[in-house]
Amino acid sequence: MRKHLLVLPAGLLLGACASAMVAIKADFDFTRVKRVAVVGFSDYANRPGTGEMLAGAFEQDLLTAGYDLIERAQVDKILRERRLSASDPAAAKELGRLLGVDALLFGRITDFREPREILTHANVVDTHQDPIYVRRNRRVQNPDGAVGSSEETVIQGYRTVRVARREPRTVTTYGRLGVSVRLVYVPTAEVLWSGSDATNVYTFEESARSVAGSILKAVKKTWPSQIRK
């Protein structure tokens, strides 16, 4: 019987769950916030499309939370026409007034490292059982009636043999996605809540959904769907 044991170097296969850190404005009446716009996230450096994908993930969770959302294309149009900067807090009141929303969700990608494959060497141990042979004499009776002896080889038992060898292996190491967001109340430009989270990256889309869901769930008590109960 032959068995194979694969031993990988420690630290190559890692996993982590998202765990958001949030701060919520305690004395604010969140029933005032029903209509929200997501101000487009900027792409991470040299990673086109990451901002759009992350903004989409937050939109899905905001809809689940019960908010009325403004189409992002409308937000981009206003920003272009009025030459407003999405990163300028002073523009929040003007942008919110033009869009007719109660609050704006701003955010940015703080860290992004893609998964990558690395070549390593693994210790592979082959195990097999070798029989142990012994020779012994046994008495036999010859056709003429005389008693003689005969030598034979028999299996006395088995010996476990392990053979270690090094083999190349391609191992995927997970990336990292870090995000910070804040919800800004349009009439006063005050921050209603802010949150941040980081998670391992398997695919960017999956990780974006994980981070967005984690942050929104951490502020669940402020959702319209929870307040209206």
Side-chain angles (χ1 to χ4, degrees), residues 33-132:
V33 181
K34 299 181 178 66
R35 193 172 173 85
V36 173
V38 175
V39 179
F41 288 65
S42 297
D43 291 333
Y44 197 71
N46 301 316
R47 297 294 188 272
T50 51
E52 180 76 10
M53 196 175 296
L54 188 59
F58 273 96
E59 281 189 335
Q60 291 178 10
D61 283 293
L62 287 168
L63 286 170
T64 300
Y67 290 102
D68 296 328
L69 282 184
I70 296 295
E71 170 61 40
R72 251 181 303 151
Q74 181 65 19
V75 178
D76 294 338
K77 179 182 177 183
I78 295 295
L79 286 171
R80 287 194 308 270
E81 290 178 350
R82 299 302 178 104
R83 297 182 181 180
L84 297 173
S85 172
S87 61
D88 181 8
K93 292 178 69 172
E94 177 65 8
L95 178 60
R97 183 186 66 79
L98 294 170
L99 292 171
V101 297
D102 304 311
L104 298 169
L105 184 76
F106 293 91
R108 65 188 184 93
I109 301 173
T110 58
D111 184 24
F112 178 44
R113 285 165 279 168
E114 291 183 297
R116 61 190 181 93
E117 291 185 345
I118 61 173
L119 181 65
T120 185
H121 284 81
N123 293 325
V124 179
V125 180
D126 292 334
T127 302
H128 60 273
Q129 302 289 325
D130 284 350
I132 301 172

Side-chain angles (χ1 to χ4, degrees), residues 23-30 32-33 36 67 102-104 182-194 219 222:
I24 302 173
K25 187 172 176 58
D27 58 351
F28 184 79
D29 179 8
F30 281 91
R32 302 178 190 175
V33 181
V36 173
Y67 290 102
D102 304 311
L104 298 169
R182 65 189 187 280
L183 188 69
V184 176
Y185 188 51
V186 168
T188 61
E190 60 187 318
V191 177
L192 301 185
W193 57 256
S194 66
V219 296
T222 69

